[in-house]
Amino acid sequence: MCRSAAEGGRRCNGRSCGAADARARQARCRARRGLEAAHAAGDPAAVTAAEARYTAATGTPPPDAGTFAGQLPTPPEKSMPKPEESKPSKQEPSNAPTEDRVRDAVAKMAREEGEWVGLVELRKALGDVDHDELTRVLRDMNRNNPNVHFVPEDNRKALTDTDHAAAIEIGGDAQHFVRIERPRDTSAKDRVQAAGLRNATADDLAQALRDPLIPSRTYDEIRGEQKRRGLP
């Protein structure tokens, strides 16, 4: 159960621990990128193959073209543009702090809390932010916030020049994915105990499982209640 001797042991929350889980999340991210690239290329055969890979990786039907979070719209059919529409529009810079914008972008692109997001997609979503400035902010977040995590791409052969350019270096290794977890709610376990398992909110149940000092029996009871409700 991923318990250590310190602090009475720690349990994984069942969603973010383990190399297999990280590889599965990265596979979903690669599938989304592949589907996006196929739609952008306009190749029906490539789109069909990419949709099959997306469904195999995510277990869900592929979204419509242009609906990926953080994705640039699919290019329209070729047509003669009007003179006033011939100039490409520029993305207006935002006055919001870059770190806040990173958090918002990752939250929008992640399918669920704690989902891995590719740095290629993140940089594309924050296209008006200077490349070096975004790299600095990401490194600062990694150093200062324990809820921010980075991992490299497992399949190095799948990396493209775009992936290499978007990556940031941490500890001498290139990192290609970021995940931001919500800070642990230290009072969630108390609220669950006060309300009772069947009356506790789904969010409180999930947050209570992140308590490193949660007793094994309480952990198992909460997981049982989540399964009864059909929660992940």
Side-chain angles (χ1 to χ4, degrees), residues 24-153:
R25 292 177 186 274
Q26 291 180 19
R28 291 195 294 269
C29 186
R30 287 196 298 271
R32 288 197 299 271
R33 285 192 303 187
L35 185 54
E36 174 186 351
H39 278 297
D43 185 342
V47 170
T48 300
E51 287 179 340
R53 288 192 294 270
Y54 181 93
T55 300
T58 65
T60 60
D64 295 332
T67 60
F68 300 97
Q71 176 184 331
L72 293 177
T74 302
E77 295 294 329
K78 291 183 179 180
S79 60
M80 293 299 293
K82 297 179 181 180
E84 62 272 14
E85 296 178 350
S86 60
K87 294 183 179 180
S89 59
K90 294 184 178 179
Q91 189 173 3
E92 292 296 331
S94 170
N95 292 325
T98 302
E99 181 171 337
D100 290 344
R101 295 188 61 200
V102 168
R103 293 179 181 279
D104 291 343
V106 171
K108 291 178 181 178
M109 286 187 281
R111 294 179 63 229
E112 60 183 68
E113 180 189 348
E115 177 72 78
W116 290 105
V117 171
L119 294 187
V120 171
E121 288 74 23
L122 179 61
R123 288 190 185 276
K124 185 184 297 184
L126 301 177
D128 62 309
V129 179
D130 178 74
H131 185 281
D132 292 340
E133 167 65 10
L134 183 53
T135 296
R136 181 192 66 77
V137 170
L138 292 174
R139 286 174 175 167
D140 287 347
M141 293 175 69
N142 175 74
R143 181 173 57 252
N144 301 326
N145 192 327
N147 298 307
V148 178
H149 311 278
F150 291 88
V151 294
E153 168 62 68

